Amino acid sequence: MENQHIRKAGLKVTLPRVKVLEILQGDSSLHMTAEDVYKRLIENGEEIGLATVYRVLTQFEAAGLVEKHHFEGNVSVFELNRGAHHDHIVCTDCGRVEEFVDDVIEDRQRAIARERGFAIKGHSLIIFGECERPECPHRRES
Amino acid sequence: MENQHIRKAGLKVTLPRVKVLEILQGDSSLHMTAEDVYKRLIENGEEIGLATVYRVLTQFEAAGLVEKHHFEGNVSVFELNRGAHHDHIVCTDCGRVEEFVDDVIEDRQRAIARERGFAIKGHSLIIFGECERPECPHRRES
DNA sequence: ATGTATGCAAAACATTTGCACCTGG
DNA sequence: CCAGGTGCAAATGTTTTGCATACAT
């Protein structure tokens, strides 16, 4: 029961919060905008307002249940926090997102912050490229 | 004369474009929002509309004269393209921005993209931390 | 001249907020 | 019951666009 997660965050277990969490858990692309979540709720026949989706996602983020990223443009995307930190590589054509972790990069970032007298709080690393998936619009002919 | 840069970009050399370029060149913080540029123009007594600032910055970006970043929140910041690629470290308290380049990180990014079958197009790396500048609000007492 | 560029106001978005009503514990 | 949560509509902040006018070449 992930409802415990909601409760532990000090939030009442309400229908919108449970449903939003379910949507995020069932999301294979791993990264959705607030609008995406809202649309899927509507598809599922739920009567939940967009404003509530924003409020719930913001609360989840504050509680550490969810992470918010800015991949491009002026839209925020949300993903379930599955515990392990990772960065992202995004296909500039099909929008597909993969996650990765690189200890060398992590170490270098810490070193750079230290050298420059910054107490590191976090970072955002996104690699943009074109993937080779068959469904990617820019797939080269083979 | 940087006006050549404007001309080379296939754009007419107009007063708004020259002035915006001047503002960016004279900016010590290196990173301004469209609104920042607009305010400075007004301070300087120019009669240039905010919409024009956005249009000019967008054209400059397309021409490679300027780079656009998303440091945090839903605002875009612009900086003059001075040729050399670099990443950013931003103070989460005072907003100060420093630039850095790390070849190890650059190499690892290329390797990660290759391993995963992405033709790398670019990347965005921002480290967030608290700086130790005297004027930084969170400066620890010494 | 003439195709571009600009200014202004209005539109388009993403996100937030005020408020009366509803609901979970 | 009642503090907290929700829906809706309106407000906000940023960026874009339509259109009549002004300008660079």
Side-chain angles (χ1 to χ4, degrees), chain A residues 26-75:
Chain A
D27 168 49
S28 59
S29 79
L30 300 177
H31 303 83
M32 309 177 76
T33 65
E35 191 83 33
D36 290 338
V37 173
Y38 174 67
K39 285 204 208 111
R40 189 149 319 167
L41 286 167
I42 297 304
E43 285 168 20
N44 295 2
E46 304 296 339
E47 306 247 321
I48 295 172
L50 179 56
T52 299
V53 173
Y54 275 105
R55 277 187 286 236
V56 169
L57 288 172
T58 303
Q59 292 157 346
F60 283 1
E61 190 200 4
L65 287 177
V66 151
E67 287 186 353
K68 183 177 174 180
H69 305 287
H70 300 276
F71 284 169
E72 54 185 354
N74 296 316
V75 217

Side-chain angles (χ1 to χ4, degrees), chain A residues 56-123:
Chain A
V56 169
L57 288 172
T58 303
Q59 292 157 346
F60 283 1
E61 190 200 4
L65 287 177
V66 151
E67 287 186 353
K68 183 177 174 180
H69 305 287
H70 300 276
F71 284 169
E72 54 185 354
N74 296 316
V75 217
S76 299
V77 299
F78 298 84
E79 74 173 309
L80 210 56
N81 181 353
R82 278 150 295 140
H85 164 75
H86 55 259
D87 293 305
H88 299 91
I89 180 162
V90 181
C91 179
T92 49
D93 289 314
C94 69
R96 214 163 56 75
V97 176
E98 282 191 27
E99 307 181 339
F100 70 87
V101 185
D102 188 282
D103 291 332
V104 176
I105 291 178
E106 300 291 326
D107 283 346
R108 288 302 304 143
Q109 289 180 355
R110 280 189 286 269
I112 289 161
R114 196 181 329 117
E115 285 163 15
R116 291 169 177 270
F118 281 71
I120 195 168
K121 286 303 186 58
H123 69 263

Side-chain angles (χ1 to χ4, degrees), chain B residues 54-73:
Chain B
Y54 274 105
R55 277 187 286 235
V56 169
L57 289 172
T58 303
Q59 292 158 346
F60 283 1
E61 190 201 4
L65 288 178
V66 150
E67 287 187 353
K68 184 176 174 182
H69 306 287
H70 300 276
F71 285 169
E72 54 185 353

Side-chain angles (χ1 to χ4, degrees), chain A residues 70 73-74 98-100 102 104 108-109 112 116-119 121-126 128-132, chain B residues 70 74 98-100 102 104 108-109 112 116-126 128-132:
Chain A
H70 300 276
N74 296 316
E98 282 191 27
E99 307 181 339
F100 70 87
D102 188 282
V104 176
R108 288 302 304 143
Q109 289 180 355
I112 289 161
R116 291 169 177 270
F118 281 71
K121 286 303 186 58
H123 69 263
S124 162
L125 169 56
I126 302 149
F128 297 100
E130 286 172 9
C131 77
E132 297 180 345
Chain B
H70 300 276
N74 296 317
E98 283 191 23
E99 307 182 337
F100 69 87
D102 188 281
V104 177
R108 288 300 304 142
Q109 288 180 355
I112 289 161
R116 291 167 177 272
F118 281 71
I120 195 167
K121 286 303 186 60
H123 70 264
S124 161
L125 169 56
I126 302 149
F128 297 100
E130 287 171 9
C131 77
E132 298 180 344

Side-chain angles (χ1 to χ4, degrees), chain B:
Chain B
M1 307 281 117
E2 289 74 6
N3 296 0
Q4 305 310 331
H5 295 147
I6 298 177
R7 208 180 310 269
K8 269 193 202 162
L11 301 168
K12 286 185 183 173
V13 179
T14 62
L15 192 140
R17 302 213 252 242
V18 173
K19 291 301 176 189
V20 168
L21 197 48
E22 281 181 15
I23 296 292
L24 290 173
Q25 285 168 336
D27 168 48
S28 59
S29 80
L30 300 179
H31 302 84
M32 309 177 77
T33 65
E35 191 82 33
D36 290 339
V37 173
Y38 173 68
K39 285 204 207 111
R40 189 149 319 168
L41 287 167
I42 297 303
E43 285 168 19
N44 295 2
E46 304 296 340
E47 307 247 321
I48 295 173
L50 178 56
T52 299
V53 173
Y54 274 105
R55 277 187 286 235
V56 169
L57 289 172
T58 303
Q59 292 158 346
F60 283 1
E61 190 201 4
L65 288 178
V66 150
E67 287 187 353
K68 184 176 174 182
H69 306 287
H70 300 276
F71 285 169
E72 54 185 353
N74 296 317
V75 217
S76 299
V77 299
F78 299 84
E79 74 173 308
L80 209 57
N81 181 353
R82 279 151 292 141
H85 164 75
H86 55 258
D87 293 304
H88 299 91
I89 180 162
V90 181
C91 178
T92 49
D93 289 313
C94 68
R96 214 164 57 76
V97 176
E98 283 191 23
E99 307 182 337
F100 69 87
V101 186
D102 188 281
D103 291 332
V104 177
I105 291 179
E106 300 291 327
D107 283 346
R108 288 300 304 142
Q109 288 180 355
R110 281 189 284 270
I112 289 161
R114 197 181 327 117
E115 285 163 16
R116 291 167 177 272
F118 281 71
I120 195 167
K121 286 303 186 60
H123 70 264
S124 161
L125 169 56
I126 302 149
I127 300 178
F128 297 100
E130 287 171 9
C131 77
E132 298 180 344
R133 280 276 180 113
E135 61 273 28
C136 183
H138 274 209
R139 177 88 205 287
R140 70 196 179 321
E141 309 307 323
S142 52

